[in-house]
Amino acid sequence: MKIILATSNRGKVKEIAELFDSEEVIPYSDLIGTMHIEENGSDFAANALIKARSVYSALDEDGAVVLSDDSGISVPVLGFEPGIFSARYAGEGASDTRNLQKLVERLKEKGLSEATAFYTAAIAVVSPWGEYVVHGWMHGRVVDTPRGDGGFGYDPIFIPEGYEKSLGELDPQIKRTISHRARALELAKPIIKMLGDLYA
Ligand code: ITT
């Protein structure tokens, strides 16, 4: 069964494709080009559903199964910023580097060199047989100095619980095992399997 990914984020596409072994995973832009999707939901689940529904409606495929990922990092001491605004923390269209710098600036404003933080991923699945949303989390801390260039987004300043290195430095295999995205996908996989069985 083909799974169509409702994301334009290349980091997510890479990670999600690696987390599926037998399913074929296709970014929606390969089929219909990119489209602007207004993410005006008030939480990760709402935004994940907005993205998956928008792509599902735009596709001209019978029986398509569309999967989206809305995710972000939250820092409790900063009032859970940036949360659902992670991709646009430093302004609409800001680069990953600018967003990361803004988080470092916010830590410095508070006189902190590090703070507890967590990533959230909401994965939505939209199909002819229904809509589903699951979540996954990864806890750890953010630090004020980027380390390593692996992963994407805030990974160079995020140190997962139980580790001393950032996700920018750690082997990508570790992130594949413990990430918010991997955990959410573990919950999404039985749903996708069930939908796949409906085709058979
Ligand atoms: P799509 O909406 O097209 O999927 P996006 O990048 O705009 O792409 P989001 O609105 O879900 O996606 O924002 C997610 C942001 O949160 C992302 O741009 C990163 O800054 C951050 N983020 C999420 N997961 C991450 C991860 O695993 N590692 C690092 N940063 C992550």
Side-chain angles (χ1 to χ4, degrees):
M1 188 183 63
K2 275 192 289 191
I3 301 167
I4 295 150
L5 289 187
T7 177
S8 308
N9 181 314
R10 277 181 292 163
K12 289 185 191 177
V13 172
K14 185 169 185 293
E15 289 187 9
I16 294 169
E18 285 169 358
L19 287 162
F20 280 108
D21 16 66
S22 50
E23 313 287 352
E24 194 187 349
V25 174
I26 308 165
Y28 82 95
S29 54
D30 286 5
L31 302 171
I32 53 172
T34 49
M35 51 196 254
H36 176 71
I37 302 171
E38 190 72 25
E39 293 180 37
N40 53 10
S42 55
D43 56 27
F44 292 107
N47 282 335
L49 273 171
I50 287 170
K51 290 189 267 195
R53 283 177 185 150
S54 304
V55 168
Y56 183 83
S57 324
L59 284 170
D60 193 17
E61 294 227 355
D62 275 347
V65 171
V66 176
L67 185 148
S68 68
D69 165 315
D70 197 67
S71 45
I73 193 164
S74 303
V75 183
V77 77
L78 299 178
F80 295 89
E81 286 183 20
I84 61 168
F85 303 105
S86 294
R88 44 195 151 126
Y89 197 29
E92 209 59 55
S95 65
D96 278 4
T97 310
R98 271 301 300 136
N99 289 327
L100 177 153
Q101 282 165 352
K102 165 129 192 221
L103 186 45
V104 168
E105 282 159 21
R106 296 280 291 123
L107 287 177
K108 288 188 171 152
E109 277 165 30
K110 291 256 174 207
L112 298 168
S113 59
E114 61 173 69
T116 299
F118 61 91
Y119 276 117
T120 305
I123 300 250
V125 176
V126 170
S127 78
W129 303 280
E131 298 181 335
Y132 308 83
V133 186
V134 293
H135 289 82
W137 290 271
M138 170 168 49
H139 291 267
R141 61 197 160 101
V142 281
V143 294
D144 64 357
T145 316
R147 303 186 206 159
D149 53 12
F152 66 97
Y154 298 87
D155 285 344
I157 57 166
F158 185 85
I159 300 178
E161 216 165 68
Y163 293 86
E164 289 307 321
K165 289 184 173 172
S166 79
L167 284 177
E169 298 170 303
L170 287 167
D171 189 308
Q173 178 52 36
I174 294 176
K175 186 175 181 193
R176 274 202 282 281
T177 316
I178 61 170
S179 80
H180 49 313
R181 185 160 297 110
R183 287 180 174 147
L185 270 183
E186 278 313 304
L187 296 175
K189 280 180 181 177
I191 296 168
I192 291 164
K193 161 128 191 15
M194 175 195 70
L195 295 173
D197 290 347
L198 292 173
Y199 276 100

Coordinates of all heavy atoms in Angstrom, one line a residue, residues 80-139:
F80 N 6.3 27.0 27.6 CA 6.1 25.9 26.6 C 6.3 26.4 25.2 O 5.9 25.8 24.2 CB 4.7 25.2 26.8 CG 4.6 24.5 28.1 CD1 4.2 25.1 29.2 CD2 5.0 23.1 28.1 CE1 4.1 24.4 30.4 CE2 5.0 22.5 29.4 CZ 4.5 23.1 30.5
E81 N 7.0 27.5 25.0 CA 7.4 28.0 23.7 C 8.5 27.0 23.2 O 9.2 26.4 24.0 CB 8.1 29.4 23.8 CG 7.1 30.5 24.0 CD 7.9 31.9 24.0 OE1 9.0 32.0 23.5 OE2 7.3 32.8 24.6
P82 N 8.6 26.9 21.8 CA 7.8 27.5 20.8 C 6.6 26.6 20.5 O 5.7 27.1 19.8 CB 8.7 27.6 19.6 CG 9.8 26.6 19.8 CD 9.9 26.4 21.3
G83 N 6.6 25.4 21.0 CA 5.4 24.5 20.8 C 4.9 24.4 19.3 O 5.8 24.2 18.4
I84 N 3.6 24.7 19.1 CA 3.1 24.5 17.7 C 3.7 25.6 16.8 O 3.5 25.5 15.6 CB 1.6 24.5 17.6 CG1 1.0 25.9 18.2 CG2 1.0 23.4 18.4 CD1 -0.5 26.1 17.8
F85 N 4.4 26.6 17.3 CA 5.0 27.6 16.5 C 6.5 27.3 16.2 O 7.2 28.2 15.7 CB 4.8 29.0 17.1 CG 3.4 29.3 17.4 CD1 2.9 29.3 18.7 CD2 2.5 29.6 16.4 CE1 1.6 29.5 19.0 CE2 1.2 29.9 16.6 CZ 0.7 29.8 17.9
S86 N 6.9 26.1 16.4 CA 8.4 25.8 16.3 C 8.9 26.1 14.9 O 10.0 26.6 14.7 CB 8.6 24.3 16.5 OG 8.3 24.0 17.9
A87 N 8.1 25.8 13.8 CA 8.6 26.1 12.4 C 8.7 27.6 12.1 O 9.3 27.9 11.1 CB 7.7 25.3 11.4
R88 N 8.0 28.4 12.9 CA 7.9 29.8 12.6 C 8.2 30.7 13.8 O 7.7 31.8 14.0 CB 6.6 30.2 11.9 CG 5.4 29.6 12.7 CD 4.1 29.6 11.9 NE 3.2 28.5 12.2 CZ 2.0 28.6 12.7 NH1 1.4 29.7 12.7 NH2 1.3 27.5 13.0
Y89 N 9.1 30.2 14.7 CA 9.4 30.8 15.9 C 10.0 32.2 15.7 O 9.7 33.2 16.3 CB 10.3 29.9 16.7 CG 10.5 30.3 18.2 CD1 9.4 30.9 18.9 CD2 11.6 30.0 18.9 CE1 9.5 31.1 20.3 CE2 11.7 30.2 20.3 CZ 10.7 30.8 20.9 OH 10.8 31.0 22.3
A90 N 10.9 32.3 14.7 CA 11.6 33.5 14.4 C 10.9 34.3 13.3 O 11.5 35.2 12.7 CB 13.1 33.3 14.1
G91 N 9.7 33.9 13.0 CA 8.9 34.6 12.0 C 8.5 33.6 10.9 O 9.1 32.6 10.7
E92 N 7.5 34.0 10.1 CA 7.0 33.2 9.0 C 8.1 32.9 8.0 O 8.8 33.9 7.6 CB 5.9 33.9 8.3 CG 4.8 33.1 7.7 CD 4.1 32.1 8.6 OE1 3.5 32.6 9.6 OE2 4.1 30.9 8.3
G93 N 8.3 31.7 7.7 CA 9.4 31.3 6.7 C 10.8 31.3 7.2 O 11.8 31.2 6.5
A94 N 11.0 31.5 8.5 CA 12.3 31.5 9.1 C 13.0 30.1 8.9 O 12.4 29.1 8.9 CB 12.2 31.8 10.6
S95 N 14.3 30.2 8.8 CA 15.1 28.9 8.6 C 15.2 28.2 9.9 O 15.0 28.8 11.0 CB 16.5 29.3 8.1 OG 17.2 30.0 9.1
D96 N 15.6 26.9 9.9 CA 15.8 26.1 11.1 C 16.9 26.8 11.9 O 16.7 26.9 13.2 CB 16.3 24.7 10.7 CG 15.2 23.8 10.3 OD1 14.0 24.2 10.3 OD2 15.5 22.6 10.1
T97 N 17.9 27.3 11.3 CA 19.0 28.0 12.1 C 18.5 29.2 12.8 O 18.8 29.4 14.0 CB 20.1 28.4 11.1 OG1 20.4 27.3 10.3 CG2 21.4 28.9 11.9
R98 N 17.7 30.0 12.2 CA 17.1 31.2 12.8 C 16.2 30.8 14.0 O 16.2 31.5 15.1 CB 16.4 32.1 11.8 CG 17.2 33.1 11.1 CD 17.9 34.1 12.0 NE 16.9 34.9 12.8 CZ 17.1 35.1 14.2 NH1 18.1 34.6 14.8 NH2 16.2 35.8 14.8
N99 N 15.4 29.8 13.8 CA 14.5 29.4 14.9 C 15.3 28.9 16.1 O 15.0 29.2 17.2 CB 13.5 28.3 14.4 CG 12.5 28.8 13.4 OD1 12.0 30.0 13.5 ND2 12.1 28.0 12.4
L100 N 16.3 28.1 15.8 CA 17.2 27.6 16.9 C 17.9 28.7 17.6 O 17.9 28.8 18.8 CB 18.2 26.6 16.2 CG 19.3 26.0 17.1 CD1 19.7 24.6 16.5 CD2 20.5 26.8 17.3
Q101 N 18.4 29.7 16.8 CA 19.0 30.9 17.4 C 18.0 31.6 18.4 O 18.4 32.1 19.4 CB 19.5 31.9 16.4 CG 20.8 31.4 15.8 CD 21.2 32.2 14.5 OE1 20.4 32.9 14.0 NE2 22.3 31.9 13.9
K102 N 16.8 31.7 17.9 CA 15.8 32.5 18.7 C 15.6 31.7 20.1 O 15.5 32.4 21.1 CB 14.5 32.6 18.0 CG 13.3 33.0 18.9 CD 12.5 34.2 18.4 CE 11.6 34.7 19.5 NZ 10.3 35.1 19.1
L103 N 15.6 30.4 20.0 CA 15.4 29.7 21.3 C 16.6 29.9 22.2 O 16.4 30.1 23.4 CB 15.2 28.2 20.9 CG 14.8 27.2 22.1 CD1 13.8 27.8 23.0 CD2 14.3 25.9 21.6
V104 N 17.8 29.9 21.6 CA 19.0 30.1 22.4 C 18.9 31.5 23.0 O 19.2 31.7 24.2 CB 20.3 29.9 21.5 CG1 21.5 30.5 22.2 CG2 20.4 28.5 21.2
E105 N 18.5 32.5 22.2 CA 18.4 33.9 22.8 C 17.4 34.0 23.9 O 17.6 34.6 24.9 CB 17.9 34.9 21.6 CG 18.9 35.3 20.7 CD 18.3 35.8 19.3 OE1 17.1 36.2 19.3 OE2 19.1 35.7 18.3
R106 N 16.3 33.2 23.8 CA 15.2 33.2 24.8 C 15.8 32.6 26.1 O 15.5 33.1 27.2 CB 14.0 32.5 24.4 CG 13.3 33.2 23.2 CD 12.4 34.3 23.6 NE 11.2 33.9 24.4 CZ 10.9 34.4 25.6 NH1 11.7 35.2 26.2 NH2 9.8 33.9 26.2
L107 N 16.6 31.6 26.0 CA 17.2 31.0 27.2 C 18.2 32.0 27.8 O 18.2 32.2 29.0 CB 18.1 29.7 26.8 CG 17.4 28.4 26.4 CD1 18.4 27.4 26.0 CD2 16.5 27.9 27.5
K108 N 19.0 32.7 27.0 CA 19.9 33.6 27.5 C 19.2 34.8 28.2 O 19.7 35.2 29.3 CB 20.8 34.1 26.4 CG 21.8 33.0 26.0 CD 22.9 33.5 25.0 CE 23.9 32.4 24.9 NZ 24.6 32.4 23.6
E109 N 18.1 35.2 27.7 CA 17.3 36.3 28.3 C 16.9 35.9 29.7 O 16.8 36.7 30.6 CB 16.0 36.5 27.5 CG 16.1 37.5 26.3 CD 14.9 37.4 25.4 OE1 13.8 37.1 25.9 OE2 15.1 37.6 24.2
K110 N 16.7 34.6 29.9 CA 16.3 34.1 31.2 C 17.5 33.8 32.1 O 17.4 33.2 33.2 CB 15.5 32.8 31.1 CG 14.1 33.0 30.5 CD 13.0 32.9 31.5 CE 11.7 33.2 31.0 NZ 10.8 33.8 31.9
G111 N 18.7 34.0 31.6 CA 19.9 33.7 32.3 C 20.2 32.2 32.4 O 20.9 31.7 33.4
L112 N 19.7 31.4 31.4 CA 19.8 30.0 31.5 C 20.8 29.5 30.4 O 20.8 30.0 29.3 CB 18.5 29.3 31.3 CG 17.4 29.6 32.3 CD1 16.0 29.1 31.7 CD2 17.7 28.9 33.6
S113 N 21.6 28.5 30.8 CA 22.5 27.9 29.8 C 21.8 26.6 29.3 O 22.2 26.0 28.3 CB 23.9 27.6 30.3 OG 23.8 26.7 31.4
E114 N 20.8 26.1 30.0 CA 20.1 24.9 29.5 C 18.7 24.8 30.2 O 18.5 25.5 31.2 CB 20.8 23.6 29.8 CG 21.1 23.3 31.2 CD 21.8 21.9 31.4 OE1 22.9 21.7 30.9 OE2 21.1 21.0 32.0
A115 N 17.8 24.0 29.7 CA 16.5 23.9 30.3 C 15.8 22.6 29.8 O 16.1 22.1 28.7 CB 15.6 25.1 29.8
T116 N 15.0 22.1 30.7 CA 14.2 20.9 30.4 C 13.3 21.2 29.1 O 12.8 22.3 29.0 CB 13.3 20.5 31.6 OG1 14.2 20.3 32.6 CG2 12.4 19.3 31.3
A117 N 13.2 20.2 28.3 CA 12.4 20.4 27.0 C 11.9 19.1 26.6 O 12.3 18.1 27.0 CB 13.3 21.0 25.9
F118 N 10.9 19.2 25.7 CA 10.4 17.9 25.1 C 9.9 18.2 23.7 O 9.4 19.3 23.4 CB 9.3 17.2 25.9 CG 8.1 18.1 26.2 CD1 7.0 17.9 25.3 CD2 8.0 18.9 27.3 CE1 5.8 18.7 25.6 CE2 6.9 19.7 27.5 CZ 5.8 19.6 26.6
Y119 N 10.0 17.2 22.8 CA 9.5 17.2 21.5 C 8.1 16.5 21.5 O 8.0 15.5 22.2 CB 10.4 16.5 20.5 CG 11.5 17.2 19.9 CD1 12.8 16.7 20.2 CD2 11.4 18.2 19.0 CE1 13.9 17.4 19.6 CE2 12.4 18.9 18.4 CZ 13.7 18.4 18.7 OH 14.8 19.0 18.1
T120 N 7.2 17.0 20.7 CA 5.9 16.3 20.5 C 5.7 16.1 19.0 O 6.1 17.0 18.2 CB 4.7 17.2 21.0 OG1 4.9 17.6 22.3 CG2 3.4 16.5 20.8
A121 N 5.2 14.9 18.6 CA 4.8 14.7 17.3 C 3.3 14.2 17.3 O 3.0 13.3 18.0 CB 5.6 13.7 16.6
A122 N 2.5 14.8 16.5 CA 1.1 14.3 16.2 C 1.1 13.8 14.8 O 1.5 14.5 13.9 CB 0.1 15.4 16.4
I123 N 0.8 12.5 14.7 CA 0.7 11.9 13.3 C -0.8 11.7 13.0 O -1.5 11.1 13.8 CB 1.4 10.6 13.3 CG1 2.9 10.8 13.7 CG2 1.2 9.9 12.0 CD1 3.9 10.6 12.6
A124 N -1.2 12.3 11.9 CA -2.6 12.1 11.4 C -2.6 11.1 10.2 O -1.7 11.2 9.4 CB -3.3 13.4 11.1
V125 N -3.6 10.3 10.2 CA -3.8 9.4 9.0 C -5.2 9.6 8.5 O -6.2 9.5 9.3 CB -3.6 7.9 9.4 CG1 -3.9 7.0 8.3 CG2 -2.3 7.6 10.0
V126 N -5.3 10.0 7.3 CA -6.6 10.3 6.7 C -6.8 9.3 5.5 O -5.9 9.2 4.6 CB -6.8 11.7 6.2 CG1 -8.0 12.0 5.4 CG2 -6.8 12.7 7.5
S127 N -7.9 8.6 5.5 CA -8.1 7.5 4.5 C -9.6 7.5 4.2 O -10.4 8.1 4.9 CB -7.7 6.2 5.1 OG -8.7 5.7 6.0
P128 N -10.0 6.7 3.1 CA -11.4 6.6 2.8 C -12.2 5.9 4.0 O -13.4 6.0 4.1 CB -11.5 5.7 1.6 CG -10.1 5.7 1.0 CD -9.2 6.0 2.2
W129 N -11.5 5.3 4.9 CA -12.1 4.5 6.0 C -12.1 5.3 7.3 O -12.4 4.7 8.3 CB -11.5 3.1 6.1 CG -11.7 2.4 4.8 CD1 -12.8 1.8 4.3 CD2 -10.7 2.2 3.8 NE1 -12.6 1.3 3.1 CE2 -11.3 1.5 2.7 CE3 -9.4 2.7 3.7 CZ2 -10.6 1.2 1.6 CZ3 -8.7 2.3 2.5 CH2 -9.3 1.6 1.5
G130 N -11.6 6.5 7.3 CA -11.6 7.2 8.6 C -10.4 8.0 8.8 O -9.4 8.0 8.0
E131 N -10.4 8.8 9.9 CA -9.3 9.7 10.3 C -8.8 9.3 11.7 O -9.6 8.9 12.5 CB -9.8 11.1 10.4 CG -10.3 11.7 9.0 CD -10.8 13.1 9.1 OE1 -11.1 13.5 10.3 OE2 -10.7 13.8 8.1
Y132 N -7.5 9.3 11.8 CA -6.9 8.9 13.1 C -5.8 9.8 13.5 O -5.1 10.3 12.6 CB -6.3 7.5 13.0 CG -7.3 6.5 12.4 CD1 -7.5 6.4 11.0 CD2 -8.0 5.6 13.2 CE1 -8.4 5.5 10.5 CE2 -8.9 4.7 12.7 CZ -9.1 4.7 11.3 OH -10.0 3.8 10.8
V133 N -5.6 10.1 14.8 CA -4.4 10.9 15.2 C -3.8 10.2 16.4 O -4.5 9.8 17.3 CB -4.8 12.3 15.7 CG1 -3.6 13.2 15.9 CG2 -5.7 13.0 14.6
V134 N -2.5 10.1 16.4 CA -1.7 9.6 17.5 C -0.6 10.5 17.9 O -0.2 11.4 17.1 CB -1.1 8.2 17.2 CG1 -2.2 7.1 17.0 CG2 -0.3 8.2 16.0
H135 N 0.0 10.4 19.1 CA 1.0 11.3 19.5 C 2.3 10.5 20.0 O 2.1 9.3 20.5 CB 0.6 12.1 20.7 CG -0.4 13.2 20.4 ND1 -1.7 12.9 20.2 CD2 -0.2 14.5 20.1 CE1 -2.4 14.0 19.9 NE2 -1.5 15.0 19.8
G136 N 3.4 11.1 20.0 CA 4.6 10.6 20.6 C 5.4 11.7 21.2 O 5.3 12.9 20.7
W137 N 6.2 11.4 22.2 CA 7.0 12.5 22.9 C 8.4 12.0 23.1 O 8.7 10.8 23.2 CB 6.4 12.8 24.2 CG 5.1 13.6 24.2 CD1 4.9 14.9 24.1 CD2 3.8 13.0 24.1 NE1 3.6 15.2 24.0 CE2 2.9 14.1 24.0 CE3 3.3 11.7 24.2 CZ2 1.5 13.9 24.0 CZ3 1.9 11.5 24.1 CH2 1.0 12.6 24.0
M138 N 9.3 13.0 23.1 CA 10.7 12.7 23.5 C 11.2 13.7 24.5 O 11.1 14.9 24.2 CB 11.7 12.6 22.3 CG 13.1 12.6 22.7 SD 14.3 12.2 21.3 CE 13.7 13.4 20.0
H139 N 11.6 13.3 25.7 CA 12.0 14.3 26.7 C 13.5 14.4 26.8 O 14.2 13.5 26.4 CB 11.4 13.8 28.1 CG 9.9 14.0 28.2 ND1 9.3 15.1 28.7 CD2 9.0 13.1 27.7 CE1 8.0 14.9 28.6 NE2 7.8 13.8 28.0

